């Protein structure tokens, strides 16, 4: 009986330990708070940009900056590091537009 209780206790503790708490949040900022290199990159994009929004994202010890905008019906998300270097670009498309 003690062995069973010990096993249940150890299993429960290991499951709690396996779960990480993600401490990520996004804060809306204005263009002046974006890194200069990031703004320069966005301004030089050769696409029409509508509804431009800027965000500062903090994920634990890592800080990044993000610009979100629409162009020709698509939602774009362009992410930069603290120095304004490009990290990734995401374009949201519908399932119907994706080919199998």
């Amino acid at each position: 009986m003690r062995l069973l209780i010990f096993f249940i206790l150890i299993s429960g503790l290991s499951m709690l330990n396996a779960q990480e708490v993600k401490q990520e949040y996004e804060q809306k900022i204005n263009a002046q708070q974006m890194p200069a290199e990031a703004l320069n990159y966005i301004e030089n994009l050769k696409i029409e940009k509508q509804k431009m929004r800027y965000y500062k994202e903090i994920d634990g010890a890592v800080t990044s900056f993000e610009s979100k905008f629409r162009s020709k019906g698509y939602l774009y998300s362009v992410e930069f590091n603290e120095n304004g270097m490009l990290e990734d670009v995401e374009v949201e498309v519908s399932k119907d537009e994706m080919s199998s």
Side-chain angles (χ1 to χ4, degrees):
M1 183 69 165
R2 285 185 184 181
L3 185 59
L4 179 61
I5 292 172
F6 178 75
F7 178 73
I8 292 171
L9 182 62
I10 295 298
S11 297
L13 289 175
S14 63
M15 286 185 354
L16 288 175
N17 192 28
Q19 296 178 0
E20 285 188 36
V21 176
K22 192 168 188 176
Q23 296 179 5
E24 178 182 324
Y25 70 92
E26 196 173 76
Q27 174 185 7
K28 191 169 185 177
I29 60 173
N30 59 41
Q32 292 79 21
Q33 294 173 291
M34 290 284 287
E37 288 290 324
L39 282 177
N40 188 39
Y41 182 87
I42 294 166
E43 289 173 8
N44 289 320
L45 288 175
K46 305 282 190 226
I47 60 174
E48 178 185 330
K49 297 172 280 296
Q50 302 170 339
K51 298 182 180 181
M52 183 71 70
R53 292 181 305 271
Y54 302 100
Y55 297 91
K56 180 177 183 178
E57 190 175 280
I58 299 173
D59 184 4
V62 178
T63 300
S64 61
F65 293 86
E66 192 172 11
S67 174
K68 295 181 181 181
F69 57 90
R70 289 199 171 274
S71 181
K72 298 182 181 179
Y74 295 103
L75 178 62
Y76 287 79
S77 172
V78 184
E79 191 170 350
F80 303 89
N81 68 14
E82 288 183 280
N83 299 320
M85 300 298 295
L86 180 66
E87 288 187 339
D88 71 33
V89 177
E90 298 174 5
V91 182
E92 188 175 294
V93 297
S94 70
K95 281 184 177 180
D96 296 338
E97 293 177 292
M98 296 178 66
S99 59
S100 301

